[in-house]
Amino acid sequence: MFSTVPPSCSAAAEQPVSSGEQPILSRLVEIRNRLAALKKDRGNYYRPNDIVSLYNDLRKQVKHLQGVRASEHHDDDVFKNRADAVLDECFQLFSLFYLALGKNKEIPATYVQLVTIKQNFELMNDTGVYTDDDLEPFKVRLREIRQLVDAEVAREDEDEDQGEPKPEVLLVSRRLRQCEKEIALLEETTRVIADALMPVYEDLVRIRRRLTALSFLPHDSAIAEARELQKRLIEIDDMRVDDRFVDPDNGAVAEGQTQVVGLLEECFDRLHDLMAEGSTVPKDMMPLYERLMEIRVQLEKLLLTSRWTLRETDLWSYQVQLQDIDGMRRNGQFKDTNGEPAPQQAQAALNFLLHKCYNLVYKLLSSSEPVAETLMPVHNQLRTLRRCLLEVKKYGGPLSARDLYP
C-alpha cells in the first residue's frame, strides 16, 4: 500500500522514486497540473464529466502504483516518496472539486475534510488547550463520514464483480482511522478529570485562550485585562488545599490534578510573560506572524461571503500555505533564524494563529452545500425567500395574496 501522510505530518524519511514508479509520478503530476488549471478557470462552471474523467485516470494510476509497490516490496504504510506527496495533493484537489460539484455525500469529498480535521487534532494535542465542547463538532462529522465509508464498504461486499476495494475507500478509511485514534487520545486526556474539577479546567482553558489573544495587542492595551485575569487565576489557585484541588462534596483529592494544575501553572507563566514583555513575536519571526495574520483575515472574509463568492477549490491555496507553515515546526515548535525554539509567548501566538486558520478552513468545508455550483444562484435565492417567509410567519399580519405575490 502507499502512504497518504503529507510531508509535514510524517517523520519518516522520503524515499527515492524507482524507475517503475517514474511514469506513474509523471502522470500524477500531469493530473495535478490539469486540476490546478481547472481551478484557476473562473470564467466557466466546472463540468462533472471533466472531473470524473480525470478522477478515473487517477484511480488507474493508483492501481498501477499499488502493483509496482507490491513487486518492489514497498507496500507498507510507512514507505513514502514524492509520488505519495503528489498523490495526496491530487486527492485533496479532487475532494474540493467534488464539494464544488455538490457531491458532498460521495467518498472523495470527505478526504480533504479528514486532512483538515487531523491537522486540528495535532495542534490540539501540541497545545493541550481544548475542552470536550471543542471536540464535539469533529466527533459528529467523523461519525457521519464513518457511516458513509461503512455503507460504501457494504456495497462493495455485495458487488461480486467489484474485485479489490476502490482506492478512494482505502485512502479515506485510513485517514478516518487516524482521526478516530487522535480524537480518542484527546478525549482520554479530559476523561480523567473529575466532574468537580471540570468547571475549573474549562475556566482555565478560556483564560489560556484569552491570554493568547491579548498577546496580539499592544502591551499597554493588554495590561489592564491581564490584571483581571491574574485575579481570577489567584482565586482558582486559592481553591487548592495543600497544593491540591479537592472535591467540595467529600473533601477527597479530585482526579485530574496533573492536567488542571499543569494548565494553571502554564497560565501563570503566560501571564508573567505577557505582563513583563513588550512585543510578543521577535523581529525575525514577524514575517511568519504577518503571513498567518493575512491568511486568517482572508479566511474570515471568506466565511462572511462564502455563500456568494466561494468555490471550494479556492481553499486549496490556503491549505498548501498552512501545510508549508506547519512543516516549519519541529516537535511542535517554531524555530528562530538560529535554529533555537522561539520564546514561549511567540510559540503560543503562532500556534494559536495556525490552529485558528485550520479551524476556519474546516468551517468553510463544513458549510459547503450539496448543490452544484451551476445551481447555487437559484439555491441562494430560495434560501433568501425562505427567510422572508419565515419572518412573515413569525410576525403575522393582515397580508393578502397580493402582498405575498413578490
Side-chain angles (χ1 to χ4, degrees):
M1 189 44 65
F2 40 86
S3 171
T4 57
V5 181
S8 63
C9 300
S10 176
E14 187 170 289
Q15 303 296 321
V17 178
S18 68
S19 57
E21 290 186 19
Q22 195 61 55
I24 300 171
L25 174 59
S26 299
R27 184 57 190 149
L28 289 175
V29 171
E30 290 176 12
I31 293 173
R32 184 192 62 185
N33 292 343
R34 177 62 180 146
L35 290 171
L38 285 173
K39 181 179 73 68
K40 291 178 182 178
D41 182 10
R42 301 193 67 85
N44 299 291
Y45 290 123
Y46 299 138
R47 292 186 297 184
N49 290 342
D50 292 342
I51 306 303
V52 173
S53 175
L54 281 170
Y55 188 70
N56 288 334
D57 191 0
L58 179 70
R59 290 170 64 180
K60 292 178 184 176
Q61 301 307 316
V62 169
K63 288 184 178 180
H64 293 331
L65 184 60
Q66 288 175 327
V68 172
R69 291 276 171 92
S71 65
E72 296 178 350
H73 306 290
H74 293 153
D75 53 349
D76 59 272
D77 290 347
V78 178
F79 182 89
K80 74 180 185 70
N81 57 23
R82 184 161 181 261
D84 295 291
V86 177
L87 182 64
D88 182 76
E89 291 176 2
C90 288
F91 268 101
Q92 288 192 54
L93 277 167
F94 272 117
S95 188
L96 292 169
F97 273 105
Y98 267 65
L99 288 171
L101 293 171
K103 297 177 179 289
N104 298 43
K105 299 297 183 182
E106 297 188 24
I107 294 295
T110 63
Y111 186 78
V112 72
Q113 296 177 57
L114 289 171
V115 171
T116 308
I117 289 172
K118 189 170 187 299
Q119 289 161 340
N120 273 284
F121 286 168
E122 288 172 349
L123 279 166
M124 285 182 182
N125 187 50
D126 288 342
T127 60
V129 182
Y130 61 89
T131 65
D132 290 337
D133 289 341
D134 298 322
L135 298 177
E136 187 59 30
F138 297 113
K139 286 176 64 177
V140 172
R141 184 55 185 149
L142 289 177
R143 281 197 296 266
E144 293 171 350
I145 296 175
R146 169 56 67 190
Q147 291 174 357
L148 286 174
V149 171
D150 289 347
E152 183 64 29
V153 170
R155 279 194 293 270
E156 288 184 350
D157 291 341
E158 293 174 1
D159 187 356
E160 297 178 356
D161 299 328
Q162 177 64 43
E164 294 184 2
K166 295 177 182 177
E168 63 268 29
V169 176
L170 293 174
L171 287 166
V172 169
S173 295
R174 184 173 294 108
R175 280 286 185 185
L176 181 57
R177 287 196 300 272
Q178 292 171 352
C179 290
E180 288 171 339
K181 288 179 182 177
E182 291 269 0
I183 198 170
L185 291 172
L186 292 170
E187 287 182 311
E188 186 62 30
T189 301
T190 58
R191 193 176 292 120
V192 299
I193 300 174
D195 292 341
L197 265 187
M198 190 54 71
V200 176
Y201 175 77
E202 292 175 350
D203 201 10
L204 288 172
V205 169
R206 181 190 63 79
I207 293 172
R208 172 70 172 76
R209 286 175 175 163
R210 190 55 195 159
L211 287 171
T212 301
L214 288 177
S215 68
F216 298 121
L217 301 177
H219 187 254
D220 293 341
S221 303
I223 199 70
E225 186 174 349
R227 289 197 177 100
E228 291 300 315
L229 293 176
Q230 183 182 38
K231 292 178 183 177
R232 178 56 186 151
L233 287 174
I234 292 173
E235 290 174 0
I236 293 175
D237 194 29
D238 288 342
M239 294 168 61
R240 293 199 283 177
V241 178
D242 295 329
D243 294 329
R244 294 185 178 185
F245 289 99
V246 298
D247 190 323
D249 294 334
N250 53 30
V253 175
E255 294 183 0
Q257 297 289 320
T258 302
Q259 288 80 359
V260 178
V261 174
L263 185 54
L264 175 63
E265 292 175 351
E266 186 180 351
C267 286
F268 272 120
D269 289 341
R270 291 281 189 267
L271 178 69
H272 177 269
D273 292 341
L274 179 65
M275 298 180 74
E277 295 178 5
S279 177
T280 298
V281 181
K283 289 183 179 180
D284 60 345
M285 304 200 78
M286 281 304 293
L288 179 58
Y289 168 80
E290 291 170 353
R291 185 179 171 193
L292 281 168
M293 283 294 291
E294 182 181 357
I295 294 172
R296 175 186 174 180
V297 170
Q298 291 172 352
L299 289 171
E300 286 176 338
K301 286 181 180 178
L302 278 177
L303 202 60
L304 293 174
T305 62
S306 60
R307 187 176 301 160
W308 300 275
T309 63
L310 177 70
R311 264 181 161 179
E312 282 78 1
T313 49
D314 296 339
L315 297 174
W316 173 244
S317 61
Y318 298 107
Q319 190 82 342
V320 170
Q321 291 181 72
L322 292 173
Q323 288 176 2
D324 287 344
I325 294 172
D326 204 352
M328 297 178 186
R329 301 193 304 152
R330 295 293 178 270
N331 298 321
Q333 292 188 322
F334 288 99
K335 307 284 185 170
D336 60 20
T337 52
N338 298 320
E340 297 296 325
Q344 195 176 52
Q345 279 292 97
Q347 296 284 353
L350 294 172
N351 279 317
F352 173 83
L353 279 176
L354 182 59
H355 190 185
K356 181 70 174 178
C357 290
Y358 273 141
N359 208 26
L360 287 169
V361 170
Y362 175 73
K363 286 182 179 179
L364 287 164
L365 290 171
S366 300
S367 65
S368 176
E369 298 280 0
V371 179
E373 62 173 349
T374 53
L375 297 175
M376 281 306 292
V378 177
H379 177 69
N380 290 333
Q381 289 176 16
L382 289 172
R383 284 174 63 100
T384 303
L385 177 60
R386 181 176 180 273
R387 285 200 301 271
C388 291
L389 291 173
L390 287 174
E391 289 297 310
V392 171
K393 179 181 178 182
K394 178 179 178 181
Y395 294 105
L399 299 172
S400 65
R402 176 64 182 170
D403 295 326
L404 294 174
Y405 180 76

